[in-house]
């Protein structure tokens, strides 16, 4: 420290004699010594990405400081409190003078002025003009004396508001002078302006006349903001002894600004991170059991180069051994032994691949009736869907009749918010690529999908395929029978053409947990899709409904470690600070400052499907919401609504029968995390299921 | 339950002496005893005696007390019924009017006196004493990560264990964790079965689940039994019955019980019968809403027109503290019987009874459609 102290006595102005000749450089580059700790601290704050953050901290310090400043007890070297003051003053000054004045000078001036911004500003400007003009005559005076002088000045100011206004006028003039007195003002100022962006605008308005004209509005022009206030409101300031007030009108709005900045940040960050990357789209593959979903997608992955030949060969050999050679491509996505030996997908299979313009996250849903809860989970995470139907005569019909899953899946994905869908008419090779059959299937399906499910015709795309033989997957078909009548795109092109939905990045962070598992290292992992907002590595988050706070220690996207993730991403987070047993599937990770609401009772608008039993009061059902599945009871039926117009058809009906719509109150057995539909669609939707069939889809209108 | 003594006079006043045999009988007793009844039973009471010199001594004394019941408390898990009341019979140790709480336990007889034994009570006594009506059944409903181990008797479904484990999902190249989690879950379910199911009593264990969970679980359990040489499981292998259910939640037990292959196994089909009636009520409500009504008021209106074909009612209503409401229900039951209708009294401990409870507790299937009920009542509905 002794070394540092000796520096304080130094004549800075001498050191900086040639300073203004080297404008292009920053001060630090030339100046190698470390005069004081304060200076060191400022260095950090000058780093561009930190400055936004630092400022918000400073604001708080400034407020404290206002109250205490008049105590007058100032000790050198500085204590932490004063360091804070110093920082805030420095920021203020910087905003006025930009980078043109060295920070050592600023600090000195601030100290001399006893942390009085206005005073300090004046000193700085005095100083800089004189220093640039000739050799310094303002060698640092003994501290005691300066302090004394300072106190005098302060008293003078408080006694005489007139003189203060005059002083301010002087400041302004001085700035002007400084600009003019400079050897090459234009060029130098330009350099400064480029370096410090908006803040240096202060130099562009030298005269008070331009201040008063509203034709040059500069939102970040601090001096401009100060000057009219100080000149017109001098009478108002009479009662305040300190001159810090000058800072106050500016400081008050700054927290708000900081908040806005954060929001903008989310959007900006997103642009920055993802702007030059391919768009991400979550794709779910649905359809009746044995329609060939896994095989289709497995083959597509293989052809697209996601699965290496060696592995494929291994699968081929093994599936041959089991006598299930036709399942070879499905094995790419069906990984558990159970799924392979039974030849049925049971849980969502996840994979990803890239097309020309898109990065696709593939979710392979199980088609079997018993695994619809898993399928709902997958569909809830998806943006777009592929419906696979078996074109084989008889097979399509069974899949489509009331017992089949084609209908239910289509209804489910639509009510879970998927609006674009491709319909793959699979196994058309069994029908000898007959156009008649294709048209027949297309007609039946499009009628159902448009009329009953509510897809728009423009959002549907039908295409013939063969998953097993791989026709029309990644390239247009070469088979003559098909080429003769089909000229449309192949599957990969269709996927490439899907529109990406808008990502609600700037909303508060929400991520329903769909999986909890042990990680390799410390902590454990949760997986899920970020529905709204964004998260960064090292952020704090909150697990609801448990209400525990956790720390995000790691963040991976498709097995690649990342720094941040945004709404719409399927992400795996490594958490710490909570016991693994506490985190369950269906919990929601959220922003601790803005946690999601937890409730056991909701009011909702439900749309009933084609069901066997009517919904009455006391109806017990399973409440599927994102990855959560919980028992629920319908407590009350408020009214029956018209299905399309939403008008109340009947108040308090005894029951709701099939294909109707109504308002109900639902009580859920355990607390769940939900949002209103109008606030966040993804988290405001739910499904009601009873005995293996989906009864209704609902939207939460009120949390009770 | 054994009926030891019965003395009921013409106008319904009188008493019966009963001996409960198993936990289910305690449930029956809970349904029989209402506030204001007198119950005589053997009990232990701490008595303080003061000698002439003033020193006091406290003893635990077994004595027979008669109390007038003030409140009842039934513990479904332990199957114990506690009756709080005031002493109404002279006793050397306990003053008249002193409070005492009687515990009713299996194999300890008690005498129950009522001012009025109505038809529902008498029916209950009869039902409780029917020796053919005890079929013990264990059921496990499960899905990946959730299982309920229940005991099903003719009038009760008791959840003995609820197992909830988080099973990691399968994930690219990491299927092992999924399988490990699954095995841990199966192990827990197996332990719950071993702990809660008494294979000497239980005739059949139903294992129900969606998908292949039941098969996987059964395979796992038998493998484990072989490994650990668990005789109990190996000998009772054929008692297990694998069935389909849509989920692992308790209410999917309803689906299991309505399975025809279960009904053949169940000596008593009361639980299954309830399920069937309730289902037919619901389907009627869907297809012909004018023939299906619920809520006491609606049903009473229908009854006045002698339209009730089947009355569905839960025993919760008969345990009602409100005596007038109980009377109203009894009158309804008697009335429906008189007009040739059938009455199904649901046990509120079964999932189907639970469901009916939620649906006001009373429902009726009518002989002919009565759309006017709904119309006239549109304005004044209370819930």
């Amino acid at each position: 420290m002794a070394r540092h102290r000796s520096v304080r006595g130094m004549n800075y102005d001498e050191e900086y004699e040639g300073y203004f000749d080297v404008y292009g450089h920053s001060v630090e580059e030339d100046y190698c010594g470390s005069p004081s700790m304060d200076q060191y601290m400022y260095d950090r704050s000058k780093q561009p990405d930190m400055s936004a953050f630092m400022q918000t901290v400073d604001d708080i310090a400034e407020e404290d400081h206002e109250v205490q400043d008049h105590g007058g007890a100032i000790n050198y070297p500085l204590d932490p409190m004063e360091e804070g003051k110093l920082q805030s003053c420095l920021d203020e000054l910087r905003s006025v003078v930009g980078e043109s004045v060295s920070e050592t000078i600023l600090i000195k001036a601030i100290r001399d002025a006893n942390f009085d911004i206005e005073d300090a500003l004046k000193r700085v400007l005095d100083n800089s003009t004189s220093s640039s003009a000739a050799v310094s005559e303002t060698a640092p005076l003994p501290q005691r004396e300066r302090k004394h002088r300072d106190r005098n000045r302060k008293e003078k100011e408080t006694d005489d508001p007139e003189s203060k206004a005059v002083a301010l006028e002087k400041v302004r003039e001085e700035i002007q002078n400084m600009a003019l007195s400079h050897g090459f003002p234009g060029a130098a100022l330009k350099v400064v302006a480029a370096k410090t962006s908006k803040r240096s605008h202060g130099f562009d308005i030298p005269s008070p006349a331009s201040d008063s004209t509203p034709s040059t509005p500069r939102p970040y022009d601090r001096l401009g903001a100060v000057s009219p206030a100080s000149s017109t409101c001098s009478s108002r300031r009479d009662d305040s002894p300190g001159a810090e007030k000058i800072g106050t009108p500016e400081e008050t709005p700054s927290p708000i600004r900081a908040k806005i900045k954060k929001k903008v940040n989310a959007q900006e960050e997103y642009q920055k991170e993802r702007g030059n990357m391919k768009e991400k789209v979550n794709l779910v593959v649905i359809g009746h059991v044995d329609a060939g979903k896994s095989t289709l997608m497995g083959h597509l992955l293989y052809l697209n180069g996601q699965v290496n030949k060696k592995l494929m060969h291994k699968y081929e050999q093994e599936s041959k051994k089991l006598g299930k050679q036709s399942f070879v491509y499905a094995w790419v996505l069906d990984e558990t032994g159970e799924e392979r030996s039974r030849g049925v997908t049971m849980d969502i299979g996840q994979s990803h691949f890239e097309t020309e313009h898109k990065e696709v996250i593939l979710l392979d849903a199980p088609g079997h009736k018993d695994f619809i809860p898993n399928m709902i989970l997958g569909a809830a995470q998806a943006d777009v869907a592929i419906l696979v139907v078996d074109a084989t005569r008889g097979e399509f019909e069974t899949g489509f009749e009331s017992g089949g899953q084609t209908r239910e899946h289509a209804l489910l994905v639509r009510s879970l918010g998927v609006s674009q869908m491709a319909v793959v008419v699979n196994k058309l090779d069994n029908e000898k690529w007959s156009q008649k059959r294709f048209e027949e299937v297309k007609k039946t399906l499009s009628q159902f999908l448009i009329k009953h499910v509510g897809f728009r015709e423009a959002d549907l795309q039908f295409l013939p395929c063969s998953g097993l033989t791989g026709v029309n997957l990644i390239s247009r078909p070469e088979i003559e029978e098909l080429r003769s009548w089909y000229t449309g795109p192949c599957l990969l092109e269709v996927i490439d053409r899907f529109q990406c939905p808008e990502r609600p990045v700037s909303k508060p962070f929400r991520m329903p947990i769909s999986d909890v598992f042990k990680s390799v290292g410390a902590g454990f992992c949760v997986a899920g899709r970020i529905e709204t907002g964004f998260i960064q590595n090292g952020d704090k988050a909150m697990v609801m409904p448990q209400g525990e706070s956790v720390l995000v220690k790691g963040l991976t996207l498709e097995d690649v470690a990342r720094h941040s993730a945004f709404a719409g991403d399927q992400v795996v987070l490594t958490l710490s600070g909570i016991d693994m047993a506490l985190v369950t599937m269906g919990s929601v990770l959220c922003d601790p400052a803005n946690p999601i609401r937890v409730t056991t009772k909701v009011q909702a608008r439900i749309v009933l499907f084609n069901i066997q039993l009517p919904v009455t009061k006391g109806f017990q059902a399973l409440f599927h919401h994102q990855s959560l599945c919980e028992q629920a009871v319908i407590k009350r039926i408020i009214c029956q609504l018209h299905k399309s117009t939403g008008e109340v058809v009947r108040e308090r009906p005894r029951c709701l029968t099939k294909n109707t719509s109504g308002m109900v109150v639902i009580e859920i057995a355990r607390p769940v995390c939900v949002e209103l539909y109008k606030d966040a669609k993804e988290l405001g939707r739910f499904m009601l299921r009873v005995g293996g069939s989906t009864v209704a889809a609902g939207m939460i209108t009120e949390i009770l | 339950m054994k009926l030891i003594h019965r003395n009921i006079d013409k106008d319904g006043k009188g008493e019966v002496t009963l001996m409960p045999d198993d936990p289910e009988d305690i449930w029956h007793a809970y349904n029989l005893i209402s506030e204001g009844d007198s119950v005589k039973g053997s009990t232990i009471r701490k008595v303080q005696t003061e000698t002439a010199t003033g020193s006091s001594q406290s003893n635990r004394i077994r004595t027979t007390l008669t109390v007038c019941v003030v409140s009842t408390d039934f513990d479904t898990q332990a199957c114990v019924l506690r009756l709080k009341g005031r002493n109404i019979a002279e006793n050397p140790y306990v003053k008249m009017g002193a409070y005492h709480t009687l515990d009713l336990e299996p194999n300890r007889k008690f005498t129950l006196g009522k001012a009025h034994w109505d038809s529902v009570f008498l029916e209950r006594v009869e039902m409780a004493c029917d020796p053919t009506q005890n079929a013990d059944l264990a059921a496990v409903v499960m899905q990946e990560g959730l299982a309920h181990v229940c005991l099903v008797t003719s009038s009760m479904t008791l959840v003995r264990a609820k197992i909830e484990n988080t099973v990691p999902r399968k994930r690219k190249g990491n299927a092992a964790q999924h399988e490990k989690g699954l095995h841990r879950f199966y192990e827990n379910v197996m332990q719950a079965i071993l702990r809660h199911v008494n294979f000497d009593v239980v005739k059949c264990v139903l294992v129900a689940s969606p998908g292949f969970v039941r098969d996987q679980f059964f395979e796992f359990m038998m493998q484990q039994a072989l490994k650990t040489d668990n005789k109990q499981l190996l000998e009772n292998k054929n008692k297990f019955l694998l069935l389909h259910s849509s989920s692992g939640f308790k209410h999917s037990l309803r689906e299991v019980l309505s399975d025809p292959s279960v009904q053949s196994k169940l000596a008593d089909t009361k639980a299954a019968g309830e399920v069937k009636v309730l289902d037919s009520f619901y389907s009627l409500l869907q297809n012909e809403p004018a023939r299906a009504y619920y809520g006491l008021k609606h049903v009473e209106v229908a009854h006045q027109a002698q339209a009730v074909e089947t009355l569905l009612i839960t025993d919760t209503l008969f345990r009602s503290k409100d005596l007038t409401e109980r009377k109203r229900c009894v009158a309804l039951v008697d009335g429906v019987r008189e007009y040739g209708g059938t009455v199904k009294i649901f046990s509120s401990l079964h999932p189907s009874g639970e469901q009916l409870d939620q649906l006001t507790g009373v429902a009726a299937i009518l002989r002919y459609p009565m759309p006017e009920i709904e119309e006239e009542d549109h304005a004044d509905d209370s819930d």
Side-chain angles (χ1 to χ4, degrees):
Chain A
M1 282 308 282
R3 188 165 56 94
H4 292 235
R5 253 183 221 133
S6 72
V7 170
R8 195 179 293 137
M10 223 189 258
N11 186 344
Y12 293 120
D13 295 308
E14 247 169 57
E15 294 259 308
Y16 283 116
E17 207 181 334
Y19 171 67
F20 282 99
D21 301 327
V22 281
Y23 252 113
H25 302 231
S26 80
V27 178
E28 288 77 27
E29 278 167 7
D30 292 354
Y31 186 68
C32 310
S34 52
S36 74
M37 205 159 110
D38 320 319
Q39 202 171 14
Y40 178 67
M41 285 194 62
Y42 187 67
D43 273 8
R44 286 181 53 190
S45 75
K46 262 175 85 179
Q47 280 172 10
D49 58 333
M50 289 291 285
S51 62
F53 164 71
M54 286 301 280
Q55 198 173 348
T56 56
V57 174
D58 293 341
D59 292 340
I60 299 159
E62 168 78 5
E63 272 160 25
D64 291 349
H65 152 67
E66 255 188 283
V67 189
Q68 299 194 349
D69 196 30
H70 309 297
I74 294 151
N75 302 321
Y76 297 88
L78 302 171
D79 60 27
M81 171 72 91
E82 282 175 329
E83 264 169 34
K85 290 180 197 170
L86 184 74
Q87 280 301 330
S88 64
C89 290
L90 259 178
D91 274 352
E92 281 305 314
L93 290 185
R94 276 267 175 249
S95 68
V96 177
V97 299
E99 301 273 308
S100 59
V101 182
S102 99
E103 71 188 61
T104 340
I105 294 168
L106 290 183
I107 292 168
K108 203 177 76 187
I110 290 164
R111 277 192 180 172
D112 290 353
N114 195 13
F115 301 103
D116 182 328
I117 296 162
E118 205 181 330
D119 200 348
L121 181 65
K122 206 179 160 202
R123 277 157 190 275
V124 169
L125 296 170
D126 271 333
N127 212 348
S128 56
T129 39
S130 56
S131 72
S132 68
V135 189
S136 68
E137 84 278 288
T138 55
L141 295 160
Q143 287 182 1
R144 197 168 289 265
E145 195 190 318
R146 191 178 299 139
K147 234 180 185 176
H148 176 70
R149 206 182 75 184
D150 184 57
R151 204 173 296 139
N152 282 348
R153 180 186 290 263
K154 210 183 216 172
E155 273 161 22
K156 213 174 91 192
E157 273 178 12
T158 46
D159 290 343
D160 186 6
E162 290 279 331
S163 75
K164 197 170 180 182
V166 171
L168 259 164
E169 205 57 37
K170 219 168 119 199
V171 170
R172 211 172 288 128
E173 264 170 34
E174 273 158 3
I175 298 173
Q176 215 171 345
N177 286 343
M178 192 184 76
L180 290 171
S181 67
H182 217 271
F184 35 93
L189 285 175
K190 251 175 216 162
V191 174
V192 173
K195 253 181 84 186
T196 58
S197 66
K198 12 188 171 170
R199 289 188 170 186
S200 57
H201 279 315
F203 285 105
D204 297 343
I205 328 140
S207 69
S210 71
D211 272 348
S212 54
T213 50
S215 59
T216 54
R218 285 180 181 82
Y220 287 97
D221 178 9
R222 296 237 171 162
L223 189 66
V226 174
S227 326
S230 52
S231 52
T232 55
C233 310
S234 51
S235 61
R236 200 191 65 193
R237 279 217 238 111
D238 278 38
D239 47 352
S240 70
E244 298 87 27
K245 266 260 170 162
I246 210 161
T248 327
E250 283 181 279
E251 286 313 305
T252 28
S254 73
I256 302 163
R257 204 183 301 153
K259 223 179 250 172
I260 296 164
K261 214 179 241 171
K262 203 194 165 191
K263 260 189 188 171
V264 173
N265 266 353
Q267 205 54 260
E268 272 173 7
E269 284 273 308
Y270 183 65
Q271 281 302 326
K272 203 170 77 191
E273 284 251 332
R274 298 289 156 80
N276 50 2
M277 279 168 75
K278 289 182 183 177
E279 276 185 303
K280 277 190 185 213
V281 63
N282 296 301
L283 169 78
V284 67
V285 186
I286 53 168
H288 188 61
V289 63
D290 282 344
K293 297 175 291 299
S294 300
T295 302
L296 182 80
M297 293 331 281
H299 204 151
L300 184 77
L301 286 176
Y302 173 61
L303 291 177
N304 210 26
Q306 304 291 317
V307 189
N308 64 33
K309 281 231 163 78
K310 205 172 142 195
L311 195 66
M312 210 61 228
H313 184 70
K314 190 181 141 212
Y315 287 159
E316 212 174 312
Q317 293 300 317
E318 283 176 18
S319 60
K320 226 179 226 173
K321 246 184 248 168
L322 277 172
K324 296 188 175 196
Q325 208 184 354
S326 64
F327 287 100
V328 57
Y329 292 114
W331 280 25
V332 174
L333 287 155
D334 297 349
E335 291 198 77
T336 58
E338 194 71 20
E339 286 181 322
R340 287 182 178 176
S341 59
R342 287 183 197 275
V344 173
T345 311
M346 286 156 75
D347 204 345
I348 293 282
Q350 232 186 64
S351 190
H352 69 109
F353 62 94
E354 287 184 21
T355 66
E356 201 180 330
H357 302 107
K358 297 263 168 17
E359 193 180 339
V360 184
I361 290 127
L362 174 71
L363 301 155
D364 179 37
H368 196 279
K369 198 178 171 196
D370 280 342
F371 305 119
I372 285 186
N374 293 339
M375 180 261 158
I376 290 178
L377 175 70
Q381 299 175 346
D383 308 316
V384 294
I386 292 182
L387 174 67
V388 183
V389 291
D390 190 342
T392 318
R393 205 159 287 278
E395 290 291 326
F396 167 70
E397 281 75 11
T398 37
F400 189 64
E401 294 315 310
S402 57
Q405 264 66 65
T406 310
R407 280 166 191 267
E408 189 167 1
H409 276 193
L411 274 166
L412 280 171
V413 289
R414 183 71 195 92
S415 24
L416 285 167
V418 172
S419 58
Q420 302 165 68
M421 190 160 81
V423 182
V424 171
V425 182
N426 197 17
K427 307 191 189 178
L428 202 65
D429 48 342
N430 287 359
E431 294 291 318
K432 300 200 172 54
W433 300 110
S434 138
Q435 185 180 6
K436 209 178 127 211
R437 179 64 180 166
F438 178 73
E439 292 300 334
E440 190 184 328
V441 170
K442 183 175 171 179
K443 199 180 146 210
T444 334
L445 269 178
S446 55
Q447 213 173 20
F448 168 72
L449 291 175
I450 292 163
K451 263 198 181 162
H452 295 273
V453 187
F455 279 100
R456 284 189 311 162
E457 196 168 1
D459 290 333
L460 289 173
Q461 167 85 44
F462 288 81
L463 68 159
C465 271
S466 170
L468 193 62
T469 54
V471 175
N472 203 17
L473 293 186
I474 63 160
S475 55
R476 304 259 170 133
E478 280 156 18
I479 295 170
E480 202 48 56
E481 288 128 304
L482 183 57
R483 217 165 49 175
S484 60
W485 58 267
Y486 183 75
T487 51
C490 68
L491 184 58
L492 203 65
E493 287 175 70
V494 171
I495 294 172
D496 199 41
R497 280 182 205 170
F498 277 129
Q499 303 272 313
C500 281
E502 185 81 8
R503 307 287 185 202
V505 177
S506 43
K507 283 189 188 171
F509 172 63
R510 303 272 185 270
M511 180 185 125
I513 295 170
S514 61
D515 193 8
V516 183
F517 58 96
K518 272 202 197 104
S519 63
V520 191
F524 64 99
C525 293
V526 295
R529 181 174 117 125
I530 300 177
E531 292 297 348
T532 57
F534 77 112
I535 187 128
Q536 289 182 315
N537 209 342
D539 276 3
K540 280 228 158 124
M542 198 171 201
V543 182
M544 293 302 264
Q546 289 86 343
E548 303 270 352
S549 71
V550 293
L551 188 70
V552 178
K553 283 181 83 180
L555 204 157
T556 53
L557 268 174
E558 287 101 38
D559 304 323
V560 182
R562 289 287 174 85
H563 179 64
S564 53
F566 302 91
D569 290 352
Q570 307 273 358
V571 58
V572 175
L573 302 178
T574 310
L575 301 183
S576 77
I578 189 173
D579 188 34
M580 185 176 166
L582 279 174
V583 183
T584 53
M585 257 180 245
S587 308
V588 177
L589 270 182
C590 54
D591 185 0
N594 200 344
I596 192 167
R597 289 176 75 180
V598 175
T599 183
T600 56
K601 218 173 188 184
V602 293
Q603 184 180 316
R605 186 182 162 177
I606 58 170
V607 179
L608 275 71
F609 296 158
N610 192 357
I611 48 166
Q612 297 305 310
L613 300 179
V615 170
T616 57
K617 193 171 113 186
F619 192 80
Q620 289 173 322
L622 291 180
F623 180 86
H624 288 264
H625 177 264
Q626 291 288 346
S627 50
L628 179 94
C629 171
E630 198 55 70
Q631 256 183 305
V633 175
I634 293 186
K635 274 284 165 198
R636 208 145 56 88
I637 301 175
I638 298 166
C639 58
Q640 185 180 337
L641 301 172
H642 192 277
K643 211 177 173 190
S644 48
T645 61
E647 287 166 11
V648 176
V649 176
R650 215 164 141 193
E651 291 278 348
R652 281 186 297 187
R654 289 191 305 143
C655 63
L656 294 173
T657 51
K658 62 182 171 189
N659 297 327
T660 56
S661 170
M663 284 290 247
V664 294
V665 174
I666 298 172
E667 195 176 81
I668 303 142
R670 275 193 288 197
V672 294
C673 304
V674 291
E675 291 265 21
L676 296 186
Y677 182 75
K678 64 176 196 303
D679 293 340
K681 280 187 183 135
E682 300 81 4
L683 293 159
R685 289 195 188 99
F686 63 89
M687 295 282 150
L688 291 179
R689 287 174 51 82
V690 169
S693 59
T694 307
V695 171
M699 305 177 278
I700 295 166
T701 54
E702 217 173 301
I703 296 173
L704 303 171
Chain B
M1 191 114 80
K2 290 190 195 84
L3 181 62
I4 293 168
H5 169 79
R6 174 179 156 142
N7 179 21
I8 295 170
D9 53 23
K10 245 182 192 168
D11 55 343
K13 191 172 186 302
E15 54 184 36
V16 293
T17 306
L18 296 162
M19 168 89 93
D21 294 324
D22 51 35
E24 196 184 340
D25 293 338
I26 305 295
W27 166 251
H28 287 305
Y30 175 52
N31 280 292
L32 278 174
I33 298 166
S34 46
E35 283 166 33
D37 294 351
S38 71
V39 177
K40 188 167 119 190
S42 156
T43 182
I44 292 171
R45 182 159 171 116
K46 205 158 101 181
V47 179
Q48 283 209 331
T49 48
E50 203 170 311
T51 57
T53 56
S55 67
S56 68
Q57 211 180 357
S58 103
N59 290 320
R60 293 170 69 84
I61 284 166
R62 179 165 283 282
T63 178
T64 304
L65 281 180
T66 309
V67 296
C68 175
V69 178
V70 176
S71 71
T72 58
D73 183 17
F74 181 67
D75 178 359
T76 49
Q77 286 306 303
C79 275
V80 175
L81 179 61
R82 293 166 72 82
L83 306 167
K84 185 184 166 195
R86 304 181 73 155
N87 185 19
I88 51 168
E90 275 190 51
N91 188 286
Y93 307 105
V94 186
K95 284 188 187 131
M96 292 283 279
Y99 277 96
H100 187 79
T101 304
L102 283 176
D103 277 1
L104 292 193
E105 290 157 357
N107 300 319
R108 191 144 290 153
K109 72 171 184 185
F110 66 93
T111 306
L112 172 63
K114 273 184 186 296
H116 181 75
W117 285 86
D118 59 38
S119 60
V120 175
F121 282 135
L122 291 172
E123 194 187 329
R124 175 69 76 168
V125 172
E126 220 163 273
M127 191 171 77
C129 298
D130 186 348
T132 62
Q133 278 193 340
N134 49 3
D136 271 308
L137 185 76
V140 184
V141 277
M142 60 199 297
Q143 72 187 42
E144 232 175 73
L146 176 74
H148 284 87
V149 178
C150 315
L151 293 180
V152 184
T153 63
S154 64
S155 56
M156 286 195 295
T157 302
L158 300 175
V159 177
R160 281 303 184 196
K162 181 181 181 187
I163 295 115
E164 255 183 306
N165 277 44
T166 323
V167 178
R169 309 196 95 85
K170 68 166 189 186
R171 128 181 330 278
K172 210 110 204 91
N174 194 7
Q177 250 192 48
H178 170 78
E179 252 137 69
K180 215 167 130 192
L182 211 54
H183 281 170
R184 202 175 51 228
F185 169 65
Y186 290 154
E187 177 69 35
N188 288 344
V189 178
M190 190 176 111
Q191 290 305 329
I193 292 177
L194 287 174
R195 185 168 310 152
H196 295 292
V197 177
N198 181 358
F199 285 97
D200 301 335
V201 183
V202 167
K203 287 178 189 153
C204 174
V205 181
L206 310 177
V207 180
S209 81
F212 310 110
V213 181
R214 53 177 182 273
D215 304 313
Q216 270 177 295
F217 167 67
F218 189 64
E219 204 177 299
F220 174 86
M221 188 168 66
M222 284 306 142
Q223 264 175 15
Q224 289 293 312
L226 272 174
K227 245 188 229 168
T228 56
D229 202 22
N230 190 325
K231 287 254 167 56
Q232 214 183 4
L233 280 176
L234 291 174
E235 279 168 11
N236 292 297
K237 193 178 172 181
N238 53 3
K239 280 190 183 173
F240 285 88
L241 195 63
L242 304 184
L243 296 156
H244 181 268
S245 74
S246 66
S247 72
F249 287 95
K250 191 187 161 195
H251 65 80
S252 55
L253 199 62
R254 251 174 66 200
E255 296 162 34
V256 180
L257 291 178
S258 58
D259 197 302
S261 62
V262 178
Q263 297 198 351
S264 62
K265 283 253 181 185
L266 275 167
D268 163 50
T269 54
K270 184 173 181 321
E274 285 173 8
V275 173
K276 222 166 150 186
V277 173
L278 194 63
D279 278 352
S280 64
F281 170 78
Y282 267 106
S283 59
L284 211 59
L285 192 60
Q286 166 95 326
N287 301 323
E288 219 179 324
R291 271 186 63 201
Y293 281 94
Y294 63 83
L296 194 55
K297 210 152 103 200
H298 281 181
V299 173
E300 270 177 344
V301 173
H303 169 59
Q304 274 153 25
Q306 302 189 11
V308 178
E309 189 180 14
T310 313
L311 179 72
L312 299 82
I313 190 162
T314 63
D315 52 16
T316 329
L317 292 175
F318 298 115
R319 287 198 304 272
S320 165
K321 300 229 167 13
D322 183 1
L323 216 67
T324 51
E325 199 192 323
R326 193 200 138 85
K327 264 186 189 150
R328 214 168 133 192
C329 293
V330 173
L332 185 67
V333 169
D334 288 344
V336 169
R337 286 221 174 98
E338 198 182 323
Y339 294 135
T342 51
V343 178
K344 294 271 180 196
I345 299 178
F346 282 54
S347 167
S348 54
L349 280 186
H350 277 313
S352 52
E354 245 170 63
Q355 164 109 53
L356 186 59
D357 244 352
Q358 295 283 352
L359 191 72
T360 68
V362 195
I365 296 173
L366 307 194
R367 293 194 174 90
Y368 50 86
M370 287 183 71
E372 63 272 18
I373 296 179
E374 197 174 359
E375 281 153 23
E376 87 191 30
D377 183 67
H378 213 210
D380 51 271
D381 189 13
S382 61
D383 54 335

